[in-house]
Amino acid sequence: MPKTVWITGAGSGIGAAMALAFAEAGYRVAMTGRNRSSLSEVVSTLPDPDAALILSGDVTDRAGMANAAREVAEWGGSVDVLCNNAGLNIPKRTWAELDWESWDHVIDVNVTGALNVIGACLPIMRDQQDGVMIHTSSWAGRFHSSVGGVVYGASKHALSDISLSLNDQEGRNGIRSTALCPAEVATPLLAKRPGFDASTMAGMIQPEDMAKTALFVAQIQPGISLPEIVLAPVRR
């Protein structure tokens, strides 16, 4: 039976690349995002669109994510892999630009949203006694990054520790968790960085590189846990 992956933030960038990589590897691909039309565009690029499921929604909707996880499990027969990828950053990133409304939104999506999706998948993976969770953290979740910003870095440090807690507490249930911590990835999110030079994107990590890394993590044998993978472009 084909395995099933659920990808959040799947409408563009890293999430869209993950959808294509897992689909090409033979997985059934369930995708969640806020923009259904973007998800539909991603599905149109997959080798077998009939082996894809669109579940539009927002990761900050806890009940909605619990319902989505159950729907994915019913549709695919399991939730073998979670790509916990939804996230955001904001223009106002420094203490000098403190903006509570936008900073709260980053925490809501990057931390609480991630927790909502994890919590939705845990009962299913516990019942299976198997499952891989792959979280899109950041270089800023491993090291301080002035360009990433105060609240983004804090949120990604939190996500990386959440991932470690899953290995500590849920490994007995066959659940393994990995935080992917890339430096600059050439995505639409990065292009919104204040003062960003778009001409530098070609030399950065590409979404396809992240997708290949996630697929590698998903396919490693069940006795192995990869707590963290840090990626950076070669400095030239």
Side-chain angles (χ1 to χ4, degrees):
M1 290 289 292
K3 290 188 174 183
T4 302
V5 59
W6 180 25
I7 304 168
T8 65
S12 65
I14 294 170
M18 286 177 170
L20 179 59
F22 277 90
E24 289 179 340
Y27 283 73
R28 296 170 63 85
V29 179
M31 298 178 295
T32 294
R34 291 177 297 173
N35 189 324
R36 190 175 187 89
S37 63
S38 295
L39 296 172
S40 297
E41 289 177 12
V42 175
V43 169
S44 71
T45 70
L46 304 184
D48 182 6
D50 291 335
L53 175 67
I54 291 176
L55 294 164
S56 55
D58 190 319
V59 295
T60 63
D61 177 2
R62 183 165 296 151
M65 291 303 100
N67 290 335
R70 287 190 290 267
E71 189 170 344
V72 172
E74 182 177 348
W75 169 77
S78 59
V79 181
D80 301 287
V81 182
L82 166 66
C83 290
N84 193 10
N85 174 69
L88 61 82
N89 205 348
I90 52 174
K92 296 180 180 179
R93 302 183 179 193
T94 69
W95 284 113
E97 303 169 292
L98 175 59
D99 178 71
W100 286 120
E101 183 177 0
S102 62
W103 285 30
D104 285 345
H105 190 44
V106 172
I107 296 297
D108 287 344
V109 174
N110 293 3
V111 181
T112 306
L115 288 169
N116 290 343
V117 176
I118 292 165
C121 288
L122 275 175
I124 298 165
M125 290 185 173
R126 286 172 181 153
D127 285 347
Q128 296 169 174
Q129 286 292 290
D130 182 66
V132 178
M133 295 190 182
I134 302 167
H135 315 276
T136 303
S137 184
S138 172
W139 182 275
R142 184 65 176 80
F143 309 101
H144 173 68
S145 169
S146 59
V147 295
V150 176
V151 73
Y152 180 81
S155 72
K156 292 302 185 178
H157 271 81
L159 181 58
S160 292
D161 192 67
I162 289 165
S163 178
L164 290 173
S165 74
L166 288 163
N167 286 319
D168 181 45
Q169 299 177 29
E170 297 295 334
R172 70 198 69 179
N173 294 314
I175 298 169
R176 294 159 287 142
S177 184
T178 299
L180 302 183
C181 300
E184 296 93 344
V185 183
T187 67
L189 177 64
L190 184 66
K192 295 179 181 179
R193 177 189 291 173
F196 178 71
D197 181 0
S199 69
T200 62
M201 293 183 81
M204 295 179 177
I205 300 166
Q206 299 300 307
E208 293 75 17
D209 300 319
M210 293 293 292
K212 290 175 185 176
T213 305
L215 187 60
F216 167 74
V217 171
Q219 293 181 330
I220 201 166
Q221 64 101 345
I224 300 293
S225 169
L226 292 171
E228 178 184 81
I229 298 178
V230 179
L231 305 91
V234 174
R235 303 300 179 185
R236 302 186 186 280

